[in-house]
Amino acid sequence: MIYPGIIGTGLYVPSKKLDNKKLSNLNKISVNEMFKKTGIKERRIAHDKETASEMGYKAALKAIKSSGVNKLNIDQIICATFSGDYVYPALACKISQKLELDSPGCFDVMANCTGFQTGVNIAFNNLKNSKNIKNILVIGVAMQSRYINWKDPHSSIYFGDGASAAIISDVGKGYGHLGSSLISNTSVYESVRMRGGGSSYPNSVGKKNFFKQYYEISGLEVWKQVVTFQPKNIKLALKEANLKLKDIDFFIFHQANVNLIKFLMSRLSLPMKKTHITADRYANTADASIGITLDEAIKRKKINKNDIVLLSGVGAGFVFGTTILKWAY
């Protein structure tokens, strides 16, 4: 019997900072208004020559070191991203190349801002269902700055770049994966999107119409979706795990913005000490945000052995995912 869980984590954020004062010069929103609306003070932006695969590679190295697993014993790489180096091949393949691994299975998943949680959940299932898989590397990568119109007041205030990673392995009876849920509300599919570069809006050489590869977002719709569907999704995961909300020791949420997390915690009647915030310093790091926040919480000893930990995210589409596990170290 396999009991899959997380045995090591890592994060990487670029050194370049874009604070609200600098951003205000571009989008003409006051520093105070930006902070009041989001709770975000600054975000990290990749350097011009920095790549998504480089960010993912650096986060992966930290997770591998943290886990103590020999990198040559990694059997699969699952990369959660929508901002890879290329449209294809999969970013997971490029990161495997950088790590010089021994032919692991590699593929990408796209669940947007709940990508890391979804990747971890896929890894749990793959570990349970295969006798040949022992260690899986899950990576979340957000190279978003290349797709942000920093002059757009509706989108520029929310996002930043970063990467996170985790090693998934057997953690022994009584620990690891307890339950999960994944649901969607596709009626608001168009509310958060990037059309340019998609097959319906291709940016082909010589094409008369060149579609801008910029984020388009309705912040109000994101708020509505989170407060309506995320509690429902959490309840479904709790039901599968045969647990109550009071049984959860610590909550790791996708970092859409600080105010939204505070509101969600209030909606669930939970104290803020039961969660960790990274959005104030890194903004919304999309697929990477849950892993970044998890790694920081572990390093700050907010999560300890035997804790019941809940990971929950929401991504464009809209996709809602929650995974519950008992911490093994």
Side-chain angles (χ1 to χ4, degrees):
M1 187 72 176
I2 298 296
Y3 301 91
I6 296 173
I7 63 168
T9 60
L11 72 82
Y12 171 79
V13 291
S15 59
K16 184 179 178 182
K17 296 180 182 180
L18 177 61
D19 61 24
N20 288 348
K21 185 176 181 180
K22 292 177 183 176
L23 183 55
S24 179
N25 294 329
L26 298 173
N27 63 21
K28 307 306 179 186
I29 301 178
S30 73
V31 171
N32 289 339
E33 185 181 354
M34 250 187 283
F35 182 76
K36 184 178 179 181
K37 196 170 185 177
T38 67
I40 296 167
K41 298 176 182 177
E42 63 184 23
R43 65 281 298 147
R44 299 298 181 95
I45 304 299
H47 295 277
D48 291 345
K49 294 184 179 181
E50 206 161 18
T51 63
S53 58
E54 183 182 353
M55 294 199 304
Y57 166 73
K58 289 177 178 177
L61 286 178
K62 292 179 181 179
I64 292 167
K65 182 178 180 180
S66 171
S67 72
V69 169
N70 186 322
K71 69 176 185 178
L72 297 180
N73 292 328
I74 293 172
D75 302 301
Q76 277 189 355
I77 300 179
I78 302 171
C79 192
T81 191
F82 52 89
S83 54
D85 292 2
Y86 304 153
V87 173
Y88 72 90
L91 185 62
C93 294
K94 183 63 177 180
I95 295 174
S96 176
Q97 182 190 75
K98 283 179 168 291
L99 289 168
E100 300 180 319
L101 301 187
D102 187 19
S103 304
C106 298
F107 62 95
D108 289 357
V109 298
M110 188 171 72
N112 300 95
C113 295
T114 193
F116 183 86
Q117 175 274 330
T118 301
V120 165
N121 201 51
I122 292 170
F124 287 163
N125 290 328
N126 288 356
L127 211 66
K128 288 177 183 177
N129 295 321
S130 176
K131 295 179 181 179
N132 299 318
I133 298 174
K134 304 298 181 184
N135 302 294
I136 301 176
L137 170 61
V138 177
I139 308 167
V141 179
M143 175 67 84
Q144 302 182 100
S145 57
R146 310 279 163 84
Y147 307 109
I148 302 296
N149 176 4
W150 295 107
K151 295 181 179 180
D152 177 10
H154 302 292
S155 62
S156 63
I157 62 177
Y158 295 109
F159 300 103
D161 296 334
S164 59
I167 298 290
I168 312 299
S169 297
D170 186 2
V171 293
K173 187 176 181 179
Y175 293 96
H177 185 217
L178 301 177
S180 301
S181 174
L182 183 71
I183 62 173
S184 299
N185 176 27
T186 59
S187 66
V188 285
Y189 178 80
E190 302 290 348
S191 297
V192 179
R193 64 191 183 183
M194 184 175 69
R195 293 176 292 171
S199 60
S200 295
Y201 298 86
N203 290 327
S204 303
V205 175
K207 190 174 178 66
K208 185 176 180 179
N209 295 319
F210 188 89
F211 298 97
K212 293 181 179 179
Q213 289 179 287
Y214 287 153
Y215 283 14
E216 300 168 85
I217 180 172
S218 169
L220 179 59
E221 192 58 59
V222 172
W223 187 283
K224 289 179 181 177
Q225 291 301 305
V226 169
V227 300
T228 302
F229 287 95
Q230 203 159 2
K232 176 182 178 181
N233 180 242
I234 289 169
K235 288 177 183 178
L236 289 170
L238 287 168
K239 184 177 181 180
E240 184 178 283
N242 196 27
L243 295 169
K244 302 293 184 183
L245 194 63
K246 63 180 177 61
D247 297 321
I248 306 300
D249 296 299
F250 208 76
F251 296 79
I252 299 291
F253 291 115
H254 163 54
Q255 305 287 300
N257 72 65
V258 177
N259 296 341
L260 188 52
I261 295 168
K262 287 181 177 179
F263 186 86
L264 183 60
M265 289 294 282
S266 175
R267 184 77 175 265
L268 295 169
S269 300
L270 296 168
M272 286 302 294
K273 67 180 181 180
K274 279 197 162 191
T275 194
H276 182 64
I277 300 290
T278 56
D280 57 335
R281 290 160 288 126
Y282 306 139
N284 179 345
T285 50
D287 297 77
S289 81
I290 289 177
I292 285 174
T293 308
L294 176 65
D295 183 70
E296 270 205 0
I298 294 166
K299 298 297 190 295
R300 298 186 185 192
K301 302 190 183 302
K302 293 186 177 183
I303 295 174
N304 300 290
K305 187 174 182 178
N306 295 315
D307 282 350
I308 306 296
V309 181
L310 183 147
L311 313 178
S312 189
V314 53
F318 273 76
V319 183
F320 303 86
T322 297
T323 295
I324 303 170
L325 59 158
K326 187 171 182 179
W327 210 251
Y329 69 93

